[in-house]
Amino acid sequence: MKNLFVLFTKNQPFIYKVFLFVISTFLIIYLLPKGGQFKYNFQKGKPWQYENLYAPFSFTIKKDAETIKKEEENSIANVIPYFEYNSEKATQSRVDFSDLLDNVYVDSLYSTSKSETKRIGLSILNEVYTNGVINEIYPYAPDKIVYLTKGNGIEEIAYSQLFKEINLKNKINAEISKTASKDINPLLQKLLGRTLVSNVDFNSNLTQKAIDSEVKAINPNRGIIEKGGRIIAKGEVVEGDKFQILNSLKSEYQSQVWSESNLLWLLIGYSLLVSLVFLMLFLFLKKYRPEIYENNNKVTFIFFNVFLMVLLTTFVVKLDAKYVYVVPLCILPLILKAFFDPRLGLFVHVLTILLLGFVVPNSFEYMFLQIIAGIVTILTVSELYKRANLFISVGQITLIYIIGYFAFFLIQEGNIQSLEAETFGYFILCGLATLFAHPLIYFYEKIFGLVSDVSLLELSDTNSKLLKELSNKAPGTFHHSLNVANLAEAAANEIGANAMLIRVGALYHDIGKMLNPTFFTENQANSINSHTELDPKESAQIIINHVILGIEIARKYNLPDRVIDFIRTHHGTSLVYYFYKMERDMNGSANLEDFTYPGPIPFSKETAILMMADSVEAASKSLKDPTSSKIDSFVEKIIDNQMEHGQFLNSNITFKDIQVIKKVLKKKLNNIYHLRVEYPE
């Protein structure tokens, strides 16, 4: 049991990767469609590239979406709407008219009698309430047949037979013109206008049921292909009926009911394919990004983002496949580039698209557009911490989407007449969603403890609390750090290293000195040296301890590990030679371990550059009457000595890079120490 525990502990990182591999594969398979994959890839407007295709089984030809949409529109237009008649309102209207007339009629004002006036008014009401009164205008033709429900009965009438309230004035005028009672027109207009109410309402419930019934009755099929019948011949262009028949066969093939044995084989096939994708990702990390491969937190971060994009795309496809291009897939390479590097970002992006090929419709078109967009993202998005760069890049990505989709549409349709501008709107929404990368990067930094260029820019602010404290307590060290930052940044730019990261690392690499600033010569304001009263071994320990103290301060201020790496490695395992020689001269011998920095040695280009720049800048202060030849000589000497002692063995830096760095450092130091004209007093 103990041996098993030791074995588990020793191989814990590898076991975790195996677990991550298995769980990621399982989750992706769960999201993939559970149906057969059609083995032929075809596009509208392109020739059939396979041998003659015969129907493997009998299947129905599906109508295309546009045809079904038109049939639905025709069915809806032909549906007979329902209106509901309220007899109580009609009766009440007559009663109200009679009562109101009795109250306001004055014999001396009108030549027409009260009874005649009532007869005319009730006659009008009876006529308009025969089929009912409506107060809304509906978009139906006058001769449109409608159903009018009265109690338990239904009448079929023309829409024009329903009386509209706005026609009351004309109705009264027409009735009055048939008699000699024109003097009561104003009275009737007033009384009927107050008592006439609509008693017919549109019955949306019954009408909608009728619409649903008609739409449901639409046959989605328009024919049948018998088993063995030829569907398409080799070289034929896939268009019109051929395209629709192939789509029908594909749909029928993918929607077949799978038996348990078929489903098992399907899952085995998916497992192998998804496993291959994730295996390629692991192999890429192990071979080309070993520092990421060894960090399970970073590996988890990458797998999480792949799964998130597959999950989001699958959800959108199930909701409505036409919105698939709204998913901002380019966020994936953008974020991975921000935290790692462009090559890894593009590689993971392509692998993710391969997985999505099982999910999305028109997989070739989708994969082509997304890969091109991913390449554009990698090529255009630079210096993400500059907000304008992200907006410009998102515009370029959106433009590429639109151009690519437009090109595919021309190939498939051969014209632009049926082009829908709505689709371009989806690409614009996708571009806007890509802008969400900034807050997402901040979220990932907090959750996974990673650091991006945006955070590095914030850390490079010399007005930050920690750097302010360094400049106040150890001004000489702060000035030294600024000079090292400038030298290292210039060298990093020349060899293609991360200049922003190395600048931040240089600014913080000596923060451990601010606890004992006077023990470091750059902070000694006078000729008094604090080391004169100390033993060489004690002095060496104080000098060495600034690395340990720097790490402690960095952790206290929550500096990222990538920055702390510069503090740990900027002296590597080098020797504090001054005090080592002093100890040896005093006692005849000295223990190397007492005067050696604990390391580790630099393990990246950036940390190696900082070691060179730090050593060269510090040593340059001891040069008397610096000339170009002196500067060149001492730069060569210092860096060659570091190489001889194996300080760069783990830093993945080439001899060519080192030569370029030497050249940059020489040039920069020559500019700093160039001869100046002596001004007259």
Side-chain angles (χ1 to χ4, degrees):
M1 182 64 71
K2 183 179 179 180
N3 291 336
L4 184 63
F5 177 77
V6 172
L7 183 65
F8 176 81
T9 305
K10 185 178 180 181
N11 295 289
Q12 186 177 358
F14 177 76
I15 294 172
Y16 176 80
K17 289 182 179 66
V18 172
F19 170 76
L20 185 64
F21 178 90
V22 172
I23 195 69
S24 299
T25 303
F26 173 79
L27 290 174
I28 295 295
I29 293 172
Y30 178 77
L31 295 174
L32 296 180
K34 304 302 182 291
Q37 291 290 327
F38 194 55
K39 62 181 179 180
Y40 300 108
N41 189 17
F42 59 93
Q43 283 183 273
K44 188 175 182 179
K46 296 189 71 175
W48 180 255
Q49 299 176 344
Y50 308 96
E51 296 299 325
N52 295 354
L53 178 62
Y54 298 90
F57 46 78
S58 298
F59 65 94
T60 55
I61 305 172
K62 307 290 184 183
K63 295 176 183 175
D64 58 59
E66 187 177 348
T67 301
I68 292 178
K69 185 178 179 181
K70 287 181 180 178
E71 290 186 8
E72 288 179 355
E73 291 173 352
N74 291 334
S75 296
I76 293 172
N78 293 328
V79 165
I80 299 177
Y82 284 80
F83 288 85
E84 191 171 357
Y85 185 92
N86 189 323
S87 58
E88 292 180 2
K89 287 185 178 181
T91 302
Q92 187 62 43
S93 180
R94 296 185 185 98
V95 172
D96 291 344
F97 171 75
S98 298
D99 292 344
L100 194 58
L101 180 64
D102 291 340
N103 292 331
V104 302
Y105 185 84
V106 179
D107 290 336
S108 59
L109 295 178
Y110 306 102
S111 60
T112 306
S113 66
K114 180 180 178 181
S115 59
E116 179 63 15
T117 303
K118 181 178 288 189
R119 184 194 67 77
I120 295 172
L122 290 176
S123 174
I124 293 172
L125 288 174
N126 288 334
E127 186 176 344
V128 299
Y129 279 122
T130 301
N131 293 313
V133 179
I134 57 175
N135 62 358
E136 291 185 36
I137 305 299
Y138 295 92
Y140 299 124
D143 58 348
K144 171 74 175 179
I145 299 299
V146 300
Y147 288 131
L148 185 65
T149 62
K150 291 184 177 181
N152 294 326
I154 298 180
E155 296 180 8
E156 191 177 277
I157 63 172
Y159 175 67
S160 59
Q161 291 179 262
L162 295 173
F163 186 79
K164 286 80 175 176
E165 283 188 13
I166 60 173
N167 295 332
L168 178 61
K169 182 177 180 180
N170 295 334
K171 180 66 178 175
I172 295 172
N173 290 335
E175 289 297 321
I176 294 292
S177 65
K178 298 176 183 178
T179 68
S181 308
K182 292 184 171 53
D183 61 323
I184 61 168
N185 192 328
L187 177 63
L188 287 176
Q189 294 282 2
K190 183 177 181 180
L191 296 181
L192 291 174
R194 292 175 61 180
T195 58
L196 184 74
V197 294
S198 66
N199 73 322
V200 173
D201 296 310
F202 179 72
N203 193 323
S204 59
N205 189 30
L206 287 177
T207 304
Q208 187 59 48
K209 286 182 178 179
I211 291 174
D212 293 342
S213 178
E214 288 292 328
V215 170
K216 190 176 180 180
I218 295 174
N219 187 355
N221 306 317
R222 62 175 180 83
I224 189 169
I225 298 292
E226 296 292 343
K227 181 179 180 180
R230 194 176 77 172
I231 297 174
I232 192 170
K234 184 176 181 179
E236 274 191 81
V237 177
V238 180
E239 58 184 358
D241 285 348
K242 298 292 184 184
F243 179 70
Q244 194 56 37
I245 292 171
L246 285 170
N247 270 331
S248 300
L249 175 61
K250 180 179 179 180
S251 176
E252 187 71 23
Y253 186 84
Q254 293 178 342
S255 63
Q256 286 184 16
V257 178
W258 286 75
S259 64
E260 290 186 8
S261 59
N262 283 339
L263 183 59
L264 177 62
W265 286 113
L266 176 71
L267 293 176
I268 291 174
Y270 272 148
S271 300
L272 292 174
L273 292 174
V274 176
S275 298
L276 280 176
V277 170
F278 285 134
L279 181 62
M280 294 305 104
L281 178 54
F282 269 121
L283 291 176
F284 177 87
L285 293 176
K286 185 174 178 62
K287 184 174 179 62
Y288 297 106
R289 300 294 182 273
E291 70 283 356
I292 297 176
Y293 177 80
E294 297 298 332
N295 189 322
N296 282 340
N297 181 53
K298 293 180 179 179
V299 175
T300 304
F301 171 73
I302 294 171
F303 273 74
F304 172 78
N305 276 278
V306 172
F307 172 73
L308 183 64
M309 286 301 165
V310 176
L311 174 65
L312 188 59
T313 306
T314 304
F315 174 77
V316 171
V317 169
K318 288 182 178 179
L319 183 67
D320 194 334
K322 70 179 183 180
Y323 298 126
V324 68
Y325 285 113
V326 177
V327 180
L329 202 62
C330 286
I331 280 185
L332 180 60
L334 197 154
I335 287 178
L336 293 179
K337 179 181 178 182
F339 286 115
F340 304 116
D341 62 88
R343 187 178 177 187
L344 176 61
L346 183 59
F347 188 82
V348 175
H349 179 67
V350 171
L351 291 182
T352 305
I353 292 170
L354 292 178
L355 293 174
L356 292 176
F358 296 114
V359 178
V360 299
N362 299 323
S363 56
F364 176 77
E365 173 189 313
Y366 179 85
M367 293 170 68
F368 183 92
L369 290 179
Q370 294 294 4
I371 289 175
I372 292 296
I375 293 172
V376 171
T377 302
I378 294 298
L379 294 178
T380 60
V381 180
S382 59
E383 298 179 327
L384 189 60
Y385 54 86
K386 295 182 179 178
R387 291 171 295 178
N389 285 359
L390 181 60
F391 282 95
I392 294 170
S393 297
V394 165
Q396 293 171 334
I397 293 166
T398 304
L399 181 62
I400 290 297
Y401 271 129
I402 291 174
I403 293 174
Y405 177 80
F406 182 70
F408 269 102
F409 188 87
L410 291 179
I411 293 172
Q412 294 168 0
E413 300 295 334
N415 60 71
I416 60 172
Q417 296 174 356
S418 56
L419 183 64
E420 296 182 1
E422 179 185 7
T423 308
F424 297 134
Y426 299 150
F427 294 126
I428 294 173
L429 288 176
C430 176
L432 294 176
T434 306
L435 295 174
F436 189 67
H438 261 305
L440 196 59
I441 286 173
Y442 176 80
F443 172 78
Y444 280 147
E445 286 178 336
K446 299 304 178 184
I447 298 298
F448 290 93
L450 302 173
V451 59
S452 68
D453 285 351
V454 180
S455 294
L456 291 176
L457 180 65
E458 294 174 357
L459 290 171
S460 67
D461 182 9
T462 54
N463 288 315
S464 65
K465 184 178 179 181
L466 182 53
L467 291 180
K468 273 285 188 183
E469 187 178 351
L470 177 64
S471 66
N472 291 330
K473 292 183 177 180
T477 298
F478 178 71
H479 184 260
H480 160 72
S481 298
L482 287 176
N483 289 338
V484 172
N486 292 331
L487 292 173
E489 185 179 20
N493 283 325
E494 287 296 320
I495 67 168
N498 191 331
M500 177 61 70
L501 175 62
I502 198 171
R503 180 172 186 84
V504 173
L507 290 174
Y508 291 92
H509 79 284
D510 270 344
I511 55 175
K513 291 182 179 179
M514 65 182 179
L515 297 182
N516 296 300
T518 57
F519 284 93
F520 301 90
T521 56
E522 67 265 24
N523 298 310
Q524 294 170 358
N526 47 50
S527 58
I528 299 175
N529 191 332
S530 301
H531 290 282
T532 53
E533 299 178 359
L534 297 177
D535 182 79
K537 192 181 296 185
E538 292 177 325
S539 295
Q541 200 59 46
I542 291 173
I543 298 297
I544 291 171
N545 278 346
H546 87 273
V547 173
I548 308 300
L549 294 174
I551 294 172
E552 292 175 358
I553 294 171
R555 297 205 182 282
K556 178 183 176 182
Y557 280 84
N558 295 318
L559 291 185
D561 287 338
R562 292 177 74 187
V563 177
I564 296 176
D565 288 340
F566 288 93
I567 302 174
R568 295 165 54 215
T569 62
H570 74 278
H571 284 296
T573 55
S574 59
L575 186 67
V576 185
Y577 186 74
Y578 179 84
F579 292 109
Y580 169 75
K581 185 175 184 301
M582 184 182 293
E583 173 76 6
R584 193 177 59 185
D585 292 344
M586 289 172 58
N587 301 321
S589 64
N591 186 358
L592 274 173
E593 292 182 1
D594 294 335
F595 299 88
T596 303
Y597 284 98
I601 60 176
F603 47 78
S604 67
K605 286 185 177 181
E606 288 77 14
T607 51
I609 293 172
L610 179 65
M611 173 181 274
M612 298 182 214
D614 179 47
S615 302
V616 166
E617 202 285 331
S620 68
K621 297 293 192 297
S622 63
L623 282 178
K624 296 179 180 179
D625 299 325
T627 62
S628 179
S629 59
K630 281 185 178 180
I631 291 172
D632 291 357
S633 176
F634 101 92
V635 168
E636 290 284 348
K637 181 180 178 182
I638 289 173
I639 296 178
D640 287 347
N641 183 61
Q642 291 172 338
M643 292 173 63
E644 287 174 9
H645 287 84
Q647 298 298 317
F648 306 136
L649 291 178
N650 296 337
S651 57
N652 192 31
I653 195 167
T654 65
F655 286 116
K656 182 180 179 180
D657 291 336
I658 293 174
Q659 292 304 315
V660 172
I661 293 168
K662 285 181 180 178
K663 185 177 179 180
V664 172
L665 295 177
K666 292 173 185 177
K667 181 180 178 181
K668 286 289 182 180
L669 290 175
N670 274 303
N671 290 338
I672 294 172
Y673 295 110
H674 70 276
L675 295 176
R676 292 174 173 82
V677 176
E678 185 175 346
Y679 290 94
E681 296 182 1

